[in-house]
Amino acid sequence: MPTRTYADIEVEVDAEGFFTDPSTWQEGMAPEIAREAGVGELTDRHWQVIKFMRHQYEESGSGPTVRVLGKTSGVGIKELYQLFPRGPAKLAARIAGIPKPRGCI
Amino acid sequence: MVLGGGAGGTLSANRLHRQLGAEADIVVVDADDRHVYQPGLLFVPFGMARPADLVRSRSAQLRPGVGFRQAVVQQVDLEANEVGLADGTSLAYDVLVVASGAVLLPEETEGLTGPGWGDTVHTFYSLEGAALLSSALARFEGGRVVVAMIDMPIKCPVAPLEFALLADSYFSRRHIRDKVSLTYVTSLDGAFTKPVCNRQLSGLLADKGIDVVTEFNTGTVDGEGRRLISYDDREVPFDLAVVVPLHGGAAYVGRSPGLGDELGFIPADEATLQAKAAPNVFVIGDAAGIAATKAGSVAHFEGETLVANVGHYLRGEPLAARFDGHTNCFIESGHRRALLIDYNNETEPLPGHFPGPIGLPLLKESRLNHLGKLAFEHLYWRVLLPGRDVPGVGAAMPRAGKRPEAAITT
Ligand SMILES: Cc1cc2nc3c(=O)[nH]c(=O)nc-3n(C[C@H](O)[C@H](O)[C@H](O)COP(=O)(O)OP(=O)(O)OC[C@H]3O[C@@H](n4cnc5c(N)ncnc54)[C@H](O)[C@@H]3O)c2cc1C
């Protein structure tokens, strides 16, 4: 497994940079992951989504889709795409240190 | 009491009846008595199946001794252990099996059911939709065909991909393939998102001249202007759009406090299939808010676990049976060939053979798999619904025959 160092701590990630063990994530790592993923400075709105992602993951064992984020995170889908361009569910999952949202094959 | 007489509800009721015999009073509630073989919907648009042949009576699929009540479920009262029906009556239960599947929510996407719906914009995910699309395709003489998956979760997530592959084959057969462009649009970051599948199958779409647009979350369907518009303002133009609408749980779930999640699916323990909402509620099939794929084969493999655990629950024992997320899908790839994938929560689809070293080829196009896909219909009515086991195929995912070394990235 590849590793990355965020906030001076070495963590295991998968080939696409998603945390393999979400419990190794800390809030202090998020700004560095965001920069690496091309998201830039994290605002309060970003944090609202990131915290919601963590919460959902802890509740259900998987990250929410864009649709669920739009319905329940308090941030609408249009804005989600402004905050996390291209793939909000995927990018926010990576910054929140949880596994990549599941596809099928 | 079993809510829903589709694949999961029917096979659960039949298995429960066989296991518990006269000990239990089993009733299946469904809104209608028309059981549709949904995997057949894929073939209807291409004239490869007739709508009427896909429908049979629901009650006729139940073992003698299992009750059938035709009624619309209005809500579930978890405190009172009662199910309210639309006709005002309520039914009490000791154990509830939720098998009410997923519903299509085309209204949730702006413009999807607006101008152009049924004309330039279609779906094959319902019987009516598939029949309508079949005449639209027959009239189609050329132009841009776009197949779009708006967002997960959907039933049978490979079906839109299969549609695109079959469309290639269909237009070739009509000798107009060169007049048709085919585009597959997905909200995910690839047509194949698992590494091994991606490596083995990425050439498949390119070889057939199917373009892929990824991370495209359709926000608006403009049927008149003939374009899909994503939430981040990208556009995909079309002459004929085939859209898989968003899915949600049955409407009554939202009216039943504590039962479902924000999309109306029922959160449950991934392994025991016991609902998070109450210990005497179990979930099977598309209705479940769990990681497992929404497919008939999954409902079949879940059946064994569900029935064993309902038995354990009734006897006051720990729920010992565990489901591993086993999924098995034939992927029709056109020109009378198909692929087969077999996986579970832990193991991604791998190459090799199924169910053992000698068997159907995995992750590879073959004629044999196409015959397997056609044989699934017979298996569905004769083996899956009666709640029997497929000879040689256990509920847990088989490891023999798989080549895990293929998963090691170089
Ligand atoms: C186009 C397409 C292709 C597919 N291809 C495949 C394939 O190749 N292989 C495969 O394994 N699977 C395939 N599937 C998926 C498969 O059909 C489903 O996963 C399977 O039917 C799930 O069974 P279920 O019992 O959960 O839901 P369903 O079979 O949909 O049954 C749910 C039942 O609940 C009833 N119900 C809902 N709400 C209420 C209410 N309020 N009151 C009363 N009754 C209610 C409905 O009437 C319905 O009968 C495909 C699906 C589609 C759409």
Side-chain angles (χ1 to χ4, degrees), chain A residues 67 78 81 90 100 104-105, chain B residues 189 193 217 233 247 341:
Chain A
R67 183 173 161 220
K78 274 255 170 210
Y81 274 95
K90 198 176 106 178
K100 186 176 170 180
C104 167
I105 58 166
Chain B
D189 64 358
T193 58
N217 207 296
D233 297 317
H247 286 33
I341 52 171

Side-chain angles (χ1 to χ4, degrees), chain B residues 5-7 32-41 44 51-58 61 124-128 155 377 380-381 385:
Chain B
D32 60 53
D33 195 17
R34 290 162 48 82
H35 189 137
V36 178
Y37 174 66
Q38 296 176 44
L41 297 177
V44 171
D53 293 340
L54 303 179
V55 186
R56 298 189 188 180
S57 153
R58 290 189 193 286
Q61 315 308 320
F124 62 99
Y125 262 57
S126 67
L127 199 59
E128 308 72 49
K155 316 188 225 198
E377 181 165 3
Y380 181 88
W381 296 110
L385 293 186

Side-chain angles (χ1 to χ4, degrees), chain B residues 4 6-8 30-31 38-39 58 71 73 99-101 156 250 252 285-286 295-297 373:
Chain B
D30 201 297
Q38 296 176 44
R58 290 189 193 286
V73 174
S100 41
C156 198
Y252 77 84
D286 299 347
S297 65
K373 175 104 184 176

Side-chain angles (χ1 to χ4, degrees), chain A residues 31-88:
Chain A
E32 284 178 40
I33 312 172
R35 222 168 301 133
E36 191 184 276
V39 168
E41 286 301 305
L42 293 180
T43 63
D44 288 353
R45 296 299 273 172
H46 287 101
W47 273 108
Q48 185 168 336
V49 179
I50 294 166
K51 290 192 171 144
F52 181 81
M53 296 291 290
R54 288 295 296 188
H55 177 73
Q56 275 266 315
Y57 179 78
E58 276 148 28
E59 292 272 291
S60 72
S62 65
T65 60
V66 178
R67 183 173 161 220
V68 171
L69 278 176
K71 272 186 197 281
T72 47
S73 68
V75 178
I77 298 191
K78 274 255 170 210
E79 190 185 345
L80 283 166
Y81 274 95
Q82 284 153 12
L83 295 172
F84 303 95
R86 273 311 267 211

